Amino acid sequence: MLDASRVILGTYGQAYIDGVWQTHINKLEASVELEKRELKLVGNDWTVHKNGSKKGTGTISGYKVTSDMISRGFTKFDIISKLDDPESYGHERVRLIRCMPDKIQLANWTAGEEVQEETAFTFEGYELLDPITAD
C-alpha cells in the first residue's frame, strides 16, 4: 500500500539556470515527445513503429524579480530541476540541456498585482542526475 508521506510535494522544488538558484520560480514543467514512424510491412497485418527524433519542450514560470530572461535573449542555457521533499525516498535532479526560449516576455503587468513571468522553451537533451528509488 502507498505510504502517503512518500508522495512528493512540489513545494520543495528548485530550479537552477546555469547553476544559479532561481528563488522566484514556482512552476517548472518539461517533457520529451518521441516521433514514431509507422511502418507497414508485407506479411504483417500490424502497423509497426520505428523510433524517430525526440523533441523537448517546457515552461518555467514564477514572479518577476529581475530582467535576467530579457537580458539572456535567445542564448541557450541549462536548467536543473530538483525535487527534494524531506519525507520522500530521496531527491531527484534532472538536467535540461541547451534550453532556448520560444519567446521573451518584455512586459505583462497590472496595477496592484504581482508580476508573473512565464517562459516557454525547447531543449535538446536531458540527463537524470539523481534518481529517486524506493528502498
Side-chain angles (χ1 to χ4, degrees):
M1 178 180 284
L2 172 69
D3 177 355
S5 69
R6 299 299 187 172
V7 174
I8 299 169
L9 295 178
T11 304
Y12 301 98
Q14 296 178 344
Y16 297 82
I17 295 180
D18 286 339
V20 178
W21 182 23
Q22 306 297 301
T23 59
H24 61 287
I25 296 301
N26 58 18
K27 182 177 179 184
L28 174 60
E29 177 273 325
S31 58
V32 176
E33 184 176 342
L34 176 66
E35 176 190 333
K36 292 188 263 183
R37 310 244 178 180
E38 289 188 359
L39 302 174
K40 298 183 184 338
L41 305 174
V42 295
N44 190 345
D45 59 353
W46 283 89
T47 299
V48 296
H49 297 89
K50 178 170 180 58
N51 290 348
S53 61
K54 298 178 189 100
K55 180 179 180 182
T57 59
T59 304
I60 190 167
S61 53
Y63 299 106
K64 180 153 181 92
V65 177
T66 68
S67 300
D68 285 349
M69 290 309 282
I70 296 172
S71 299
R72 187 179 301 283
F74 291 99
T75 59
K76 294 182 180 179
F77 53 90
D78 286 359
I79 296 174
I80 293 181
S81 168
K82 181 179 180 183
L83 281 174
D84 193 10
D85 188 319
E87 292 185 317
S88 70
Y89 286 113
H91 69 274
E92 175 183 85
R93 289 187 318 136
V94 178
R95 178 177 166 226
L96 307 175
I97 303 168
R98 291 182 301 280
C99 303
M100 185 183 334
D102 296 344
K103 65 180 179 178
I104 298 170
Q105 180 176 294
L106 300 177
N108 183 14
W109 56 269
T110 303
E113 294 182 12
E114 296 85 7
V115 176
Q116 298 276 334
E117 189 171 42
E118 180 174 281
T119 304
F121 61 90
T122 55
F123 59 94
E124 299 173 349
Y126 72 93
E127 179 181 9
L128 178 59
L129 301 172
D130 298 308
I132 296 173
T133 56
D135 295 333

